[in-house]
Amino acid sequence: MTTKHSQPQSTLAKSLTSTSTNTPYFKAAESTEIPSYVTKCPSNGLCSRLPPDCMTCNTNYSCIYGKPATFDCKVKPHVHCVDQNNQEQENFTINMTCQFCWQLATTDYVCTNSTNCMTVSCPRQRYNATCTVRDHIHCLGNRVFPKMLYCNWTGGYKWSTALALSITLGGFGADRFYLGQWREGLGKLFSFGGLGIWTLIDVLLIGVGYVGPADGSLYI
């Protein structure tokens, strides 16, 4: 019985040995791969100024909302940074305000813009935007978050140009043509500006901003 099982065991041992010799080769190949986040991390810069994608920080649950707080952080693998004395370090602290990312000021994040909503509607329309915190800003929670924003896009129409056309050539519908309102422009053209009444009304409406571009955008 012993001799019969000795050959399979030796064969199994050989197969395990051959497999184990190949394993370090694959591990070494995988370890040489550089993570994608490294491209966002400046080399040999101050650790405290690294983008959040370059570090891992412990959450400070004792921080008070709106107050300054200190967080213990560590650089991710393949990231090199230094302290104030130009000495390389891995563990460091950063100072920031205790607040979630969606509570930041509007200047601290960038949001997608929508051109499918009407900026001149009443009440003013809102749209669902996806906002991303700027790289140099630190905050709690997700750095990409949804937010409802007012429509604020522009199609390139100038209020001063529309008002000037309304005053000078409004009787021929030039102001309405400029704003992309072709039907109203043709109506003013063939009615001589509504015998002047329509022209005066449009000067007032464009002057106060009640009449805007036909695409629903804001004036420049």
Side-chain angles (χ1 to χ4, degrees):
M1 293 295 291
T2 305
T3 55
K4 288 183 180 180
H5 289 283
S6 60
Q7 290 182 350
Q9 289 177 353
S10 61
T11 305
L12 179 61
K14 289 180 180 180
S15 63
L16 290 174
T17 304
S18 61
T19 304
S20 62
T21 55
N22 293 333
T23 302
Y25 173 78
F26 289 107
K27 288 184 177 180
E30 292 177 356
S31 61
T32 57
E33 295 181 0
I34 299 177
S36 59
Y37 60 78
V38 176
T39 58
K40 303 179 181 179
C41 309
S43 180
N44 295 326
L46 288 176
C47 294
S48 58
R49 295 184 178 272
L50 285 175
D53 291 338
C54 307
M55 65 180 75
T56 302
C57 299
N58 296 326
T59 304
N60 186 354
Y61 294 101
S62 62
C63 70
I64 302 174
Y65 171 73
K67 300 294 184 179
T70 302
F71 292 81
D72 296 324
C73 301
K74 182 179 181 180
V75 295
K76 291 184 178 180
H78 302 283
V79 177
H80 303 280
C81 63
V82 296
D83 58 9
Q84 297 290 346
N85 299 322
N86 206 27
Q87 298 293 325
E88 187 171 355
Q89 62 177 174
E90 293 185 358
N91 300 305
F92 58 97
T93 60
I94 60 171
N95 298 317
M96 55 177 267
T97 303
C98 182
Q99 61 182 346
F100 289 98
C101 295
W102 59 269
Q103 296 172 318
L104 291 171
T106 55
T107 55
D108 293 336
Y109 53 83
V110 179
C111 300
T112 57
N113 202 356
S114 175
T115 58
N116 296 323
C117 57
M118 299 289 290
T119 60
V120 294
S121 63
C122 186
R124 191 174 176 185
Q125 288 187 2
R126 296 190 180 205
Y127 68 98
N128 292 316
T130 301
C131 302
T132 305
V133 180
R134 299 184 185 274
D135 287 340
H136 64 283
I137 302 298
H138 297 277
C139 55
L140 302 176
N142 296 327
R143 299 185 61 81
V144 179
F145 54 91
K147 196 163 188 177
M148 290 288 293
L149 298 178
Y150 284 110
C151 298
N152 61 349
W153 66 284
T154 177
Y157 296 95
K158 293 184 177 180
W159 172 82
S160 59
T161 302
L163 183 60
L165 289 174
S166 182
I167 295 173
T168 58
L169 299 173
F172 301 99
D175 50 353
R176 293 283 183 164
F177 285 127
Y178 171 73
L179 296 174
Q181 301 176 6
W182 296 96
R183 294 180 179 178
E184 292 81 353
L186 290 174
K188 291 183 69 175
L189 177 62
F190 291 111
S191 66
F192 301 102
L195 299 178
I197 299 176
W198 194 348
T199 302
L200 294 176
I201 293 176
D202 270 359
V203 171
L204 177 62
L205 295 180
I206 293 176
V208 299
Y210 184 81
V211 173
D215 59 6
S217 63
L218 292 174
Y219 287 116
I220 296 178

